[in-house]
Amino acid sequence: MFKNTLGNTIIAFSFRIIGTIISIVYLAVLTRYLGLENFGYYSGALAYIYIFSFLADLGLYNLMIREISHSAADENKISSNIFTLRLVALFISLSIGATIIWLTDFNIIMKVAVVISSFHFLFLGAAQPLIGIFQKHLRIIWYSGSEVFSRALQLGLLFLVIYLKGGILGAISILSIGGLVAFIIMLIGLRNLVKIRLRFDFSYWKWVLRETWPMAAIVIFASIYFKIDEVMLSFLKTPTDVGIYGAGYKIVQSLVFFPAMFVGFLMPKLSFYSDKDLDKFKFIFQYGFKILILMATPIAIGLYFRADDIMALIAGKEFLISGQVLQILSLAIFMIFLGQLFAQSAIALGKQKQLALIYFSGMVFNVIANLILIPYFSYIGASVTTFVTESIIVVLTILYLINIINIKTDFKELRYIALSSIALILFLYFTSFNLAVTIGISIIIYIGILWLTGELKKIKLNI
């Protein structure tokens, strides 16, 4: 099971679900311990240094997978050079970010939190290109296991921090320790696959940078608009505002993995048929569109109607006001899910440069809109900006796909999903059961209608 694609897929999905559950429990404990203001410092520090970590992304993960997959590839040379390049880029970028924060008017807690959290992103970023090696050799259990173990370790250490009254700096330090442990586990797993060492082949580095710059631009632009709202809230408003926004935002952020994983499974087929059979490409696209709508609809509806209950359960009653943020961001779920498919479809067609321009436009709009709305509407303005930005990127990308390959979606295929969604909306609007009962009945209603209409039977597990 561990040596085939299906087995590795099952492992990755299973471990990720476990990791997500641990992360939600971690968030529940953390928010109750730190409270709104300190959680604001925590979220603001992570959001700030996160941007600098992704300035060093350089698209190396995708290039690593492509290059080591060639039959005659020198895997040791490729892996070592890309790992070293990523490490150098991270060190430079994170150092710049940690230095700049000391030139601002933030208090000492925020500044030290940024410095400590930079080590977390150093270990996380250094490990990211190495995931491609595990994927090639079908040993994803090492990466998945390291992620779950590190999150479980962080949760355990959080209770220790609470007991020792370590405060926000103790909580931030936990992330760096977890990142280091996960990185070490991955290096141990690589021992029998490749020999990783520091290599400074500058001619190879130049070639790498020429190859990766369009993907690097996409990642950088996406990362900036994905996190700049929390950073701007930190500058323009209080830590409490950041905490209110950050708590609701982390709920949505925890869901992003699932569409990314699903589209990742489709990506090889999209890439294969992009220049061989456009009709087949469009068929796979339509399939992905339908599944993503099927997944996103109940999540978005549930978050919208029960946002307050969800925030009270996960983060505590002090964060009840974050339900307003979660309710607005629930509308962005559709855009986030579909955006994964549209972006990867454009990449499969070799349109990275055009996609980078779309993401750049979204980033510019996001920054300008946040500058206008945050001073007046605080976390509500940031939430609305996030939703509109995601919508703009999705609309521009699908319009571009329509223009270049006349791609279309058959909305008749969605009629039973729409029927199930309407029934779910009516149930949630007219009832007020407790959250556990509501979730159970909602699943029965949504899945039940899809089953009775025969829609579930049409969904193929393999395409």
Side-chain angles (χ1 to χ4, degrees):
M1 177 179 178
F2 300 143
K3 296 183 179 181
N4 59 64
T5 302
L6 178 59
N8 276 257
T9 299
I10 293 172
I11 290 168
F13 190 78
S14 302
F15 273 71
R16 187 63 192 204
I17 290 177
I18 296 171
T20 300
I21 293 172
I22 295 173
S23 295
I24 291 174
V25 175
Y26 184 92
L27 178 63
V29 176
L30 182 67
T31 49
R32 285 168 173 80
Y33 172 59
L34 293 181
L36 270 173
E37 183 176 2
N38 282 332
F39 184 73
Y41 284 124
Y42 177 93
S43 296
L46 290 177
Y48 170 82
I49 204 66
Y50 173 94
I51 292 175
F52 285 91
S53 74
F54 270 87
L55 291 177
D57 183 272
L58 304 179
L60 297 178
Y61 166 71
N62 291 314
L63 184 73
M64 171 83 87
I65 293 176
R66 189 187 80 182
E67 291 303 301
I68 64 176
S69 297
H70 296 319
S71 57
D74 185 344
E75 197 166 346
N76 292 331
K77 173 187 174 182
I78 295 169
S79 302
S80 294
N81 269 289
I82 290 179
F83 171 75
T84 307
L85 176 57
R86 182 63 183 275
L87 206 59
V88 171
L90 279 167
F91 180 80
I92 294 172
S93 184
L94 292 172
S95 297
I96 292 172
T99 301
I100 290 175
I101 196 69
W102 287 90
L103 304 177
T104 69
D105 295 328
F106 282 115
N107 66 30
I108 189 66
I109 294 177
M110 179 73 167
K111 294 176 179 178
V112 175
V114 165
V115 173
I116 295 174
S117 60
S118 66
F119 289 97
H120 166 65
F121 286 105
L122 176 65
F123 299 131
L124 195 68
Q128 196 245 6
L130 303 180
I131 299 171
I133 301 173
F134 292 115
Q135 289 177 320
K136 176 193 172 182
H137 293 277
L138 298 177
R139 294 291 187 275
I140 201 65
I141 190 172
W142 277 98
Y143 164 66
S144 299
S146 70
E147 187 179 46
V148 169
F149 181 82
S150 67
R151 292 190 183 191
L153 175 64
Q154 288 166 351
L155 179 59
L157 289 175
L158 179 58
F159 287 108
L160 180 61
V161 167
I162 294 172
Y163 176 76
L164 297 175
K165 299 180 180 179
I168 180 176
L169 297 182
I172 288 283
S173 300
I174 288 171
L175 296 179
S176 298
I177 295 172
L180 173 60
V181 170
F183 181 56
I184 291 173
I185 292 173
M186 290 182 67
L187 289 180
I188 293 173
L190 288 173
R191 286 182 305 171
N192 297 323
L193 302 178
V194 296
K195 294 180 180 179
I196 295 287
R197 62 184 181 86
L198 297 180
R199 292 189 64 161
F200 297 86
D201 187 340
F202 294 113
S203 61
Y204 184 75
W205 287 18
K206 290 179 182 179
W207 177 84
V208 167
L209 294 174
R210 284 196 301 268
E211 286 288 307
T212 62
W213 77 261
M215 280 303 303
I218 292 171
V219 172
I220 290 170
F221 298 150
S223 301
I224 290 176
Y225 86 70
F226 198 63
K227 282 294 184 180
I228 196 67
D229 40 15
E230 289 185 74
V231 176
M232 295 176 73
L233 274 169
S234 299
F235 278 96
L236 300 173
K237 290 293 180 178
T238 68
T240 298
D241 293 85
V242 181
I244 292 170
Y245 181 76
Y249 194 81
K250 285 188 185 303
I251 302 298
V252 174
Q253 188 177 348
S254 67
L255 301 171
V256 173
F257 166 80
F258 295 102
M261 172 175 277
F262 173 72
V263 174
F265 297 154
L266 295 183
M267 188 60 177
K269 293 183 181 294
L270 289 171
S271 299
F272 179 79
Y273 290 112
S274 62
D275 59 353
K276 293 182 176 4
D277 188 342
L278 275 181
D279 288 335
K280 186 67 173 178
F281 178 94
K282 294 176 184 179
F283 173 79
I284 296 170
F285 178 91
Q286 176 67 31
Y287 170 84
F289 181 85
K290 182 176 181 179
I291 297 298
L292 289 171
I293 290 291
L294 184 84
M295 293 167 52
T297 300
I299 294 173
I301 294 172
L303 290 179
Y304 182 86
F305 283 98
R306 295 294 184 266
D308 290 347
D309 294 337
I310 292 170
M311 291 310 310
L313 174 65
I314 294 177
K317 292 184 178 179
E318 186 181 3
F319 287 81
L320 187 64
I321 193 171
S322 296
Q324 299 176 28
V325 173
L326 184 59
Q327 192 170 49
I328 296 171
L329 293 180
S330 69
L331 302 175
I333 290 291
F334 289 104
M335 303 305 167
I336 294 171
F337 274 50
L338 295 179
Q340 295 281 346
L341 175 63
F342 295 173
Q344 293 301 319
S345 295
I347 292 171
L349 292 165
K351 304 299 181 182
Q352 294 93 324
K353 294 179 182 179
Q354 293 81 354
L355 187 63
L357 181 60
I358 291 173
Y359 272 77
F360 176 76
S361 302
M363 181 195 69
V364 171
F365 170 83
N366 187 277
V367 171
I368 294 174
N370 275 317
L371 282 173
I372 295 172
L373 295 179
I374 286 178
Y376 296 100
F377 304 104
S378 187
Y379 47 85
I380 298 298
S383 303
V384 171
T385 298
T386 296
F387 166 60
V388 177
T389 302
E390 295 287 355
S391 301
I392 288 173
I393 290 174
V394 164
V395 170
L396 289 178
T397 307
I398 191 62
L399 288 176
Y400 179 69
L401 291 173
I402 291 172
N403 181 59
I404 60 173
I405 61 170
N406 194 32
I407 201 164
K408 295 179 180 179
T409 55
D410 185 0
F411 288 99
K412 290 182 180 179
E413 288 286 316
L414 307 178
R415 60 188 182 278
Y416 295 124
I417 297 176
L419 178 63
S420 299
S421 302
I422 292 171
L424 184 56
I425 290 171
L426 292 174
F427 166 71
L428 293 174
Y429 183 81
F430 288 108
T431 63
S432 56
F433 299 117
N434 68 56
L435 194 57
V437 173
T438 298
I439 292 173
I441 297 176
S442 296
I443 292 173
I444 293 172
I445 290 173
Y446 189 74
I447 300 298
I449 292 176
L450 292 175
W451 179 75
L452 289 173
T453 56
E455 186 64 27
L456 289 182
K457 296 178 181 178
K458 298 178 183 178
I459 298 173
K460 300 177 181 179
L461 295 178
N462 296 298
I463 56 173

